[in-house]
Amino acid sequence: MSLKKQIIEITPPGRIETEVLISHPQPCGYCRGNGWHWGSNYRNVPCPDCGGSGEVRAMVTIKWEPVKK
């Protein structure tokens, strides 16, 4: 569950389009920023959530569409 709160003010652009908002990188919650976890046979295995980078980011997509009446 996310703890940080941010407000996104949503205002339609001049034309209908899809917007993507990307957050700043944050430490991965699964591997705690290490980039790996202990796998079978006590070996370091790349983290399945961050792919070994130790960081993740949120991507919020806003799709504008006309109101159908």
Side-chain angles (χ1 to χ4, degrees):
M1 181 66 75
S2 299
L3 300 175
K4 185 176 181 179
K5 293 183 180 182
Q6 291 182 315
I7 296 173
I8 300 172
E9 185 175 327
I10 299 175
T11 306
R15 299 284 317 252
I16 293 176
E17 58 185 59
T18 300
E19 299 175 84
V20 178
L21 307 171
I22 301 173
S23 72
H24 295 288
Q26 301 288 320
C28 177
Y30 185 75
C31 69
R32 295 183 178 91
N34 292 320
W36 56 270
H37 67 96
W38 290 108
S40 60
N41 299 327
Y42 300 103
R43 295 176 29 205
N44 292 348
V45 177
C47 176
D49 287 358
C50 68
S53 70
E55 295 180 318
V56 294
R57 63 183 178 189
M59 295 181 67
V60 179
T61 303
I62 300 171
K63 181 182 177 191
W64 294 94
E65 60 182 31
V67 175
K68 299 186 182 347
K69 294 184 178 187

